[in-house]
């Protein structure tokens, strides 16, 4: 894995400053003063329990949810103000499959390609690249409702990558995935990052953090720890990120 120290210090592709999101007329502060800086070609993992603010953060970074206060810059552009320009340069694979069950794998990916104004020829060339890598080539003409959960996850990733974005967001990308497929995903993510793609992912599975370049641990909308996995473990004299998280969560009310 590339040295994580090269990331984020110069020309970050994602920056947030004192980012806040409040729901229900101030009753719920889902994100509370979040400051992030993520660099090109970095795999950055936001981890934490369900309800810690991870998905809300991703929704604001992608421009689909407006912040209550604070600033966001993606590729140097203000979000949500410039969200339409930013949208063309990012890909998103949400936690819930945004797929059409009655359509085939190819038809689903084509639907997303058209959203990014891809012509048919460019799309087919790109599809010929993606499907073998994602082990979906033989399922090209299969309706999505006939696919397993792992295959649906791979189709969702293909939809997020079809237009060759500069940043891709994976929300709980490996939830419910068996260990073999999870290992495949991480190998693929690393190859994408080495080619210059920035990957931001969320997970409530703590051992996921061990595979990222840098991580941010969230609880109750706050970033309670961040850095490389080794830096964080050393600071807390822990053998795993899960140990760190449990230590930092002692005495705290569960976020769920």
């Amino acid at each position: 894995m590339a040295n994580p120290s090269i990331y984020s210090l110069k020309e970050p592709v994602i920056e947030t400053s004192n980012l806040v999101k409040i729901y229900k007329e101030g009753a719920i502060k889902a994100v509370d003063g979040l400051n992030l800086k993520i660099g090109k070609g970095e795999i950055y993992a936001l981890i934490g329990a369900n309800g810690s603010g991870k998905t809300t953060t991703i929704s604001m970074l992608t421009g689909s949810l407006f912040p209550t206060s604070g600033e966001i810059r993606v590729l140097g552009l203000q979000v949500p103000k410039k969200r339409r320009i930013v949208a063309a340069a990012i890909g998103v694979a949400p936690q819930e499959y945004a797929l059409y069950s009655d359509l085939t794998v190819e038809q689903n990916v084509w639907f997303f390609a058209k959203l990014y104004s891809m012509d048919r020829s460019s799309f087919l060339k790109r599809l010929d690249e993606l499907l073998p890598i994602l082990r979906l080539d033989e399922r090209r003409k299969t309706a999505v409702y006939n696919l397993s959960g792992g295959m649906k996850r791979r189709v969702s990733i293909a939809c997020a990558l079809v237009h060759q974005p500069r940043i891709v967001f994976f929300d709980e990308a490996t939830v419910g995935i068996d260990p073999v497929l999870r290992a495949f995903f991480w190998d693929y993510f690393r190859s994408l990052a080495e080619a210059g793609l920035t990957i931001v992912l969320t997970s409530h599975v703590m051992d996921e953090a061990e595979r990222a370049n840098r991580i941010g641990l969230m609880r109750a909308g706050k970033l309670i720890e961040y850095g490389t996995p080794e830096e964080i473990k050393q600071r807390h004299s822990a053998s795993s990120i899960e140990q760190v998280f449990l230590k930092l969560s002692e005495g705290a009310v569960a976020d769920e």
Side-chain angles (χ1 to χ4, degrees):
M1 184 179 295
N3 184 351
S5 66
I6 69 174
Y7 301 112
S8 79
L9 297 179
K10 295 182 179 180
E11 300 182 9
V13 295
I14 298 173
E15 287 184 281
T16 71
S17 178
N18 298 318
L19 191 61
V20 174
K21 180 61 182 179
I22 300 174
Y23 291 113
K24 295 184 179 180
E25 299 180 353
I28 300 175
K29 187 175 283 188
V31 174
D32 188 3
L34 187 65
N35 294 294
L36 294 175
K37 186 177 287 188
I38 302 172
K40 179 181 177 181
E42 179 172 16
I43 302 177
Y44 192 100
L46 281 173
I47 66 171
N50 293 330
S52 60
K54 306 184 303 296
T55 296
T56 297
T57 298
I58 294 295
S59 296
M60 288 190 288
L61 293 178
T62 58
S64 61
L65 185 66
F66 283 34
T68 302
S69 62
E71 295 184 357
I72 304 171
R73 284 191 175 273
V74 177
L75 299 170
L77 301 172
Q78 288 185 331
V79 177
K81 184 178 180 180
K82 300 291 185 179
R83 65 188 184 280
R84 291 187 179 181
I85 299 175
V86 169
I90 66 174
V92 183
Q95 182 175 353
E96 299 296 330
Y97 303 120
L99 303 173
Y100 292 93
S101 295
D102 291 336
L103 298 183
T104 66
V105 169
E106 179 177 326
Q107 289 169 335
N108 268 279
V109 184
W110 172 233
F111 174 83
F112 282 88
K114 288 192 291 185
L115 293 179
Y116 294 104
S117 302
M118 290 184 72
D119 61 71
R120 185 69 179 174
S121 177
S122 298
F123 161 71
L124 290 174
K125 181 178 179 181
R126 178 63 172 156
L127 195 68
D128 287 341
E129 296 171 353
L130 282 174
L131 293 189
I133 294 172
L134 292 170
R135 303 175 186 174
L136 287 169
D137 207 24
E138 294 183 358
R139 298 288 186 170
R140 187 175 186 139
K141 301 297 184 181
T142 302
V144 164
Y145 67 78
N146 285 321
L147 300 180
S148 67
M151 289 181 182
K152 290 177 182 177
R153 185 69 64 189
R154 281 180 268 165
V155 176
S156 183
I157 290 174
C159 293
L161 295 174
V162 65
H163 60 300
Q164 296 182 296
R166 295 172 62 185
I167 304 171
V168 64
F169 297 88
F170 295 123
D171 192 6
E172 301 287 357
T174 61
V175 65
I177 299 300
D178 66 78
V180 174
L181 186 55
R182 182 179 298 175
F184 162 76
F185 278 165
W186 275 99
D187 287 342
Y188 185 45
F189 294 164
R190 279 192 285 270
S191 70
L192 293 172
E194 288 169 1
L197 181 70
T198 300
I199 298 174
V200 182
L201 59 90
T202 71
S203 179
H204 63 273
V205 181
M206 297 300 150
D207 65 5
E208 296 277 76
E210 307 284 349
R211 303 172 182 262
N213 297 121
R214 285 193 305 132
I215 64 175
L217 279 75
M218 294 189 69
R219 189 184 72 223
K222 294 180 179 291
L223 197 65
I224 59 174
E225 180 59 283
Y226 61 91
T228 70
E230 289 305 314
E231 287 171 346
I232 293 173
K233 288 187 290 185
Q234 288 176 11
R235 278 198 291 269
H236 296 273
S237 301
S239 60
S240 70
I241 294 298
E242 183 174 8
Q243 285 185 0
V244 174
F245 186 79
L246 292 174
K247 179 179 179 180
L248 294 175
S249 299
E250 287 179 0
V253 176
D255 295 315
E256 296 91 336

